[in-house]
Amino acid sequence: MKFFERKLNSQTVYSGKVVTLEVDDVLLPNGNKGIRECVRHSGGAAVLLVQDGKVLLVKQFRYPYGKEIYEIPAGKLNKGEDPLKAAQRELEEETGFQAELVHALDVYPSPGYTDEVIHIYFASNVKEGKLNPDDDEFINHEFIDFGKVLKMIESGEICDSKTIAAVYRYKCDNNL
């Protein structure tokens, strides 16, 4: 049996700078009606840069969690923006590095309520660029040994889904 839910009606209940919240009436596969709340998001782009066995991570305060977290450099896509260009922009803005990027994977961070897709790239041929964080970004970056990053994930010190997905994909691709 194929599962599909058809939108019958949609109401935008909030439209902000980063997200839009829609409440939809849907027709379920069994013929009943249901309601779906969906956070619409333009998506994001992120970069895993591994150099000399070390992973480039940024650490910044994340308001929803009320604490600083480690993650790979990343940012929101502007409407209609090419994810590769966004990844290049975010890498340089947040860390001051430029690199050649290759698409590695896409991540759906929370498919139960948002349509956000994060496009993750692997970096190579790294060179210095210009550090230029957004006015509301306060970010530190550091290179951490790949093995230590794995231990940080395993211990729960790194909980960010895009970072975990990128690190494990890299580990699998490189038979580490």
Side-chain angles (χ1 to χ4, degrees):
M1 171 193 267
K2 287 189 176 187
F3 297 112
F4 182 79
E5 298 177 1
R6 185 168 55 93
K7 185 188 311 185
L8 301 172
N9 186 36
S10 182
Q11 178 185 5
T12 300
V13 295
Y14 174 78
S15 185
K17 180 179 164 186
V18 177
V19 298
T20 298
L21 174 60
E22 294 177 357
V23 178
D24 296 348
D25 296 317
V26 298
L27 183 63
L28 301 171
N30 65 0
N32 292 334
K33 292 181 181 177
I35 296 175
R36 298 290 182 252
E37 297 174 350
C38 186
V39 175
R40 302 290 180 190
H41 188 282
S42 62
V47 178
L48 179 71
L49 191 161
V50 179
Q51 190 171 10
D52 300 323
K54 296 184 178 197
V55 178
L56 177 63
L57 293 178
V58 297
K59 189 174 188 182
Q60 61 185 315
F61 183 82
R62 290 301 197 173
Y63 182 81
Y65 298 104
K67 65 181 181 179
E68 291 181 328
I69 66 170
Y70 282 104
E71 55 192 294
I72 58 176
K76 184 175 85 61
L77 296 178
N78 296 318
K79 186 173 177 126
E81 184 177 21
D82 176 32
L84 174 63
K85 299 279 189 224
Q88 291 168 327
R89 180 192 73 238
E90 291 296 330
L91 177 64
E92 187 169 14
E93 279 181 8
E94 294 184 357
T95 69
F97 291 105
Q98 296 176 341
E100 292 178 24
L101 303 181
V102 174
H103 184 261
L105 72 154
D106 292 335
V107 174
Y108 296 177
S110 194
Y113 68 86
T114 183
D115 63 352
E116 180 182 12
V117 177
I118 301 174
H119 308 274
I120 300 174
Y121 295 85
F122 290 159
S124 62
N125 298 320
V126 180
K127 62 182 182 178
E128 290 288 330
K130 183 181 176 193
L131 186 64
N132 186 26
D134 292 335
D135 291 338
D136 64 349
E137 283 184 315
F138 303 93
I139 299 172
N140 290 317
H141 67 276
E142 62 184 290
F143 282 94
I144 300 175
D145 182 74
F146 193 86
K148 183 176 179 185
V149 170
L150 289 173
K151 288 179 182 168
M152 292 168 75
I153 291 170
E154 291 164 9
S155 73
E157 186 175 356
I158 295 177
C159 296
D160 175 60
S161 64
K162 70 183 172 297
T163 301
I164 294 168
V167 167
Y168 278 107
R169 175 62 185 264
Y170 184 88
K171 183 179 187 281
C172 289
D173 288 357
N174 292 280
N175 296 314
L176 300 175

